[in-house]
């Protein structure tokens, strides 16, 4: 698909420019083509006009590539906020793109967002007063309460003495982050969890 777009742009734009110039000359047939090419070529005349059309074709081919990549990047930048990243990766692999590097750049667009969401949520939790690193062994007792837009799972656990814990786990149930707060700071943790649910799920 990307190659078709680029080829059509490379062929189409020079033809459009030539047609517009021919229409403005008021002449017909070969005289219109000759005059249009001479006008486009400036001091180099008709030969310069032919060269200019070739250059326009190359430029439009390059522009089509940039426009296509910008268009797809914009789409995936938006969709990564609400859809499964695994699904988007599979979709990108399935796209009929001949530019293998473009596929990798699109995947990187999705991955960058994944990293940012988790980091933002970790920063929110770290700013809760009294937050202390949790033991990774306690992760197994935690219960999932929500999933972030990047697939990271927020989990909570209250230990036998009533201390609130919060964890972040990846899609393979491995701990990314863990922390706990004392009773005096439980309300601050609850507010942070509410904010995370509102802004990042």
């Amino acid at each position: 698909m990307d190659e078709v777009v680029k080829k059509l742009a490379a062929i189409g734009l020079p033809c459009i420019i030539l047609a517009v110039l021919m229409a403005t000359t008021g002449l017909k047939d070969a005289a219109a083509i000759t005059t249009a090419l001479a006008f486009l070529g400036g001091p180099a005349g008709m030969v310069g006009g032919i060269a200019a059309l070739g250059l326009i074709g190359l430029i439009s081919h390059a522009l089509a590539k940039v426009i296509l990549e910008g268009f797809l990047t914009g789409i995936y930048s938006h969709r990564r906020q609400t859809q499964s990243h695994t699904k988007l990766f599979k979709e990108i692999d399935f796209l009929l793109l001949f530019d293998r590097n473009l596929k990798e750049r699109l995947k990187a667009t999705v991955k960058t967002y994944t990293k940012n969401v988790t980091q933002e949520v970790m920063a929110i939790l770290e700013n809760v007063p009294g937050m202390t690193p949790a033991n990774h062994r306690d992760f197994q007792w935690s219960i999932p309460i929500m999933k972030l837009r990047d697939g990271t799972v927020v989990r909570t656990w209250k230990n036998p003495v009533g201390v609130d814990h919060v964890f972040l786990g990846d899609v393979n149930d491995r701990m990314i982050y863990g922390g706990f707060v004392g009773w005096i700071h439980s309300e601050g943790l609850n507010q942070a969890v509410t904010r995370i649910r509102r802004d990042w799920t």
Side-chain angles (χ1 to χ4, degrees), residues 48-184:
I50 294 170
L53 285 178
L55 184 59
I56 290 167
L58 291 173
I59 292 169
S60 60
H61 183 276
L63 280 175
K65 182 176 179 181
V66 171
I67 290 167
L68 177 67
E69 181 166 349
F71 176 70
L72 291 174
T73 300
I75 288 173
Y76 284 104
S77 292
H78 180 73
R79 291 180 61 201
R80 69 189 178 182
Q81 300 177 38
T82 57
Q83 297 182 23
S84 160
H85 291 183
T86 303
K87 173 188 172 185
L88 295 180
F89 291 149
K90 287 179 181 176
E91 186 179 296
I92 290 168
D93 283 331
F94 188 72
L95 287 175
L96 292 174
L97 298 173
F98 293 94
D99 185 348
R100 188 91 189 127
N101 292 329
L102 176 54
K103 287 189 177 187
E104 293 307 314
R105 289 193 297 275
L106 291 174
K107 287 181 181 179
T109 297
V110 175
K111 287 177 187 174
T112 299
Y113 187 76
T114 300
K115 183 178 178 185
N116 290 343
V117 168
T118 302
Q119 286 179 343
E120 288 287 342
V121 170
M122 285 171 61
I124 291 169
L125 293 173
E126 278 295 301
N127 285 324
V128 173
M131 184 61 72
T132 306
N135 193 309
H136 71 278
R137 289 190 299 258
D138 292 330
F139 180 73
Q140 63 182 315
W141 310 113
S142 63
I143 299 169
I145 61 166
M146 69 180 106
K147 186 180 282 190
L148 304 180
R149 290 192 296 241
D150 64 359
T152 298
V153 178
V154 179
R155 306 167 67 103
T156 58
W157 176 61
K158 193 183 289 279
N159 74 5
V161 294
V163 173
D164 287 309
H165 290 62
V166 63
F167 298 93
L168 299 178
D170 65 15
V171 292
N172 297 312
D173 285 332
R174 291 180 299 216
M175 188 176 107
I176 299 171
Y177 173 87
F180 68 89
V181 294
W183 301 324
I184 192 173

Side-chain angles (χ1 to χ4, degrees), residues 35-47:
T35 306
L37 286 173
F39 178 79
L40 190 60
M46 196 169 89
V47 174

